[in-house]
Amino acid sequence: MSSTTFAFPPELIERLARARSVAVLTGAGISAESGVPTFRDPGGLWERFRPEELANVQAFLRNPDLVQRWYAYRCKLVREVEPNPGHYALVELERMVPDFTLITQNVDNLHRRAGSQRVVELHGNLLRSYCIDCGRPAEEVNLEAAAEGKPARCPACGGLIRPDVVWFGELLPEEALAEAYAACERAEVFLSVGTSAVVYPAAGLPLEAKRAGAYVAEINLQPSAIADQVDALLLGKAGEILPALVEAVRQTRNTG
Ligand code: BV8
């Protein structure tokens, strides 16, 4: 889809073309076209697995081997897929904007693999794991080998190994959250891409940016929980809209 087939609001293109500071929040929707299941869409992860049984500390301590295998499965999956044109479009946008911050809720590492530099990982990263007792990184521990009743343990102290992701009820990494709020304060344009905007505090960021004066646009297959509060709602696939949006901004900058 070229930019001519998508009618962007002129104000969005104008603002992006002249912006010095832009922030973007991404959710699972930007990785959907890479083949990574989202959480709340039909067929998503939470339809097949209950987050209460897998994505919180109590669940982990109850069934560490089950939770380790589930994350090992997701780790394997994200290693086998590739970034898609939506991820690459944000790499291009980062190169065009002096102060660009990519805030992601995703733990699939696809933004980094696409080449994004300024990535703020609010919910951690599947590719990292650590010992819950001594805190040592445990990348070399094979969580997939966790057998029934025999969870993977730290080679140094014997503690349980967990993925380095933020579970429900856990605090987000302080530095990452502070960086995200600071980017919201500075942003002239804020893009919310592929998120249902139901998980806080991440879901509050687009409205933080709006309160601080940013022009906020949402890119989503369907309206999210904040759709009625954004300045522009672009309905469609992130992997198609983002490349067309960046191309339209590039053309405006070149003819500017
Ligand atoms: C915390 C684990 C302090 C990692 C996840 C304030 C108000 C209300 C509730 C709370 C609050 N503060 C805290 C809470 C509780 C909780 C929360 O928000 N609960 C919600 C569900 C009500 N938050 C927390 O516990 C957070 N911790 O705040 O600590 C605290 C603690 C307790 C009480 C008070 C304060 C921790 C949040 C992190 C949770 N971890 N997962 C993992 O296993 O991955 S959440 C999970 O949802 C993922 O991390 C994911 O990042 C996140 C958001 O989901 P999305 O990315 O939006 O994905 P989703 O499937 O929902 O939507 C996909 C979207 O894409 C859809 O809109 C779809 O239309 C769109 N789409 C699909 N395809 C495409 C597309 N768009 C474009 N193109 C496409 N092709």
Side-chain angles (χ1 to χ4, degrees):
M1 170 198 275
S2 74
S3 56
T4 49
T5 59
F6 200 95
F8 294 110
E11 185 176 1
L12 170 61
I13 304 301
E14 282 307 313
R15 285 175 177 262
L16 273 174
R18 63 170 186 269
R20 294 196 49 71
S21 179
V22 171
V24 180
L25 171 69
T26 61
I30 196 168
S31 299
E33 290 156 83
S34 294
V36 181
T38 62
F39 292 90
R40 296 167 184 85
D41 287 321
L45 286 170
W46 293 160
E47 191 176 87
R48 285 173 287 153
F49 305 99
R50 289 165 48 79
E52 302 76 35
E53 288 166 3
L54 292 163
N56 67 67
V57 177
Q58 297 72 19
F60 174 67
L61 294 175
R62 248 194 333 269
N63 285 307
D65 46 322
L66 171 70
V67 174
Q68 286 179 347
R69 286 199 303 277
W70 187 58
Y71 279 93
Y73 148 72
R74 288 177 58 194
C75 218
K76 185 168 176 297
L77 187 148
V78 298
R79 281 204 171 94
E80 288 167 353
V81 300
E82 295 298 324
N84 67 62
H87 295 104
Y88 290 114
L90 292 180
V91 176
E92 285 309 303
L93 190 59
E94 177 175 17
R95 291 181 181 143
M96 293 158 73
V97 177
D99 170 22
F100 182 89
T101 306
L102 174 50
I103 307 161
T104 188
Q105 301 172 89
N106 298 341
V107 295
D108 58 30
N109 204 51
L110 289 180
H111 284 305
R112 289 189 192 284
R113 283 181 53 199
S116 288
Q117 300 298 308
R118 300 249 315 112
V119 184
V120 177
E121 293 177 328
L122 287 182
H123 293 164
N125 188 310
L126 272 178
L127 303 191
R128 294 193 303 263
S129 55
Y130 64 90
C131 169
I132 64 168
D133 290 340
C134 69
R136 280 187 181 79
E139 272 61 27
E140 77 286 354
V141 173
N142 176 5
L143 293 183
E144 215 162 353
E148 195 76 32
K150 281 188 70 184
R153 290 186 174 276
C154 172
C157 79
L160 288 170
I161 305 298
R162 65 163 284 175
D164 187 8
V165 298
V166 180
W167 279 329
F168 287 104
E170 289 189 315
L171 292 173
L172 276 60
E174 199 174 327
E175 196 178 319
L177 195 52
E179 209 174 326
Y181 281 124
C184 289
E185 291 302 316
R186 300 193 308 267
E188 295 155 83
V189 180
F190 189 102
L191 303 180
S192 179
V193 183
T195 182
S196 58
V198 297
V199 175
Y200 285 82
L205 294 174
L207 303 184
E208 274 299 311
K210 187 165 177 59
R211 181 195 50 70
Y215 178 95
V216 180
E218 172 170 50
I219 294 167
N220 200 318
L221 268 188
Q222 57 187 2
S224 76
I226 58 165
D228 56 349
Q229 300 169 71
V230 300
D231 299 296
L233 178 60
L234 311 177
L235 291 179
K237 290 183 175 181
E240 293 175 2
I241 291 178
L242 281 172
L245 179 66
V246 172
E247 181 51 31
V249 171
R250 188 195 313 281
Q251 286 173 13
T252 304
R253 276 176 165 241
N254 292 345
T255 54

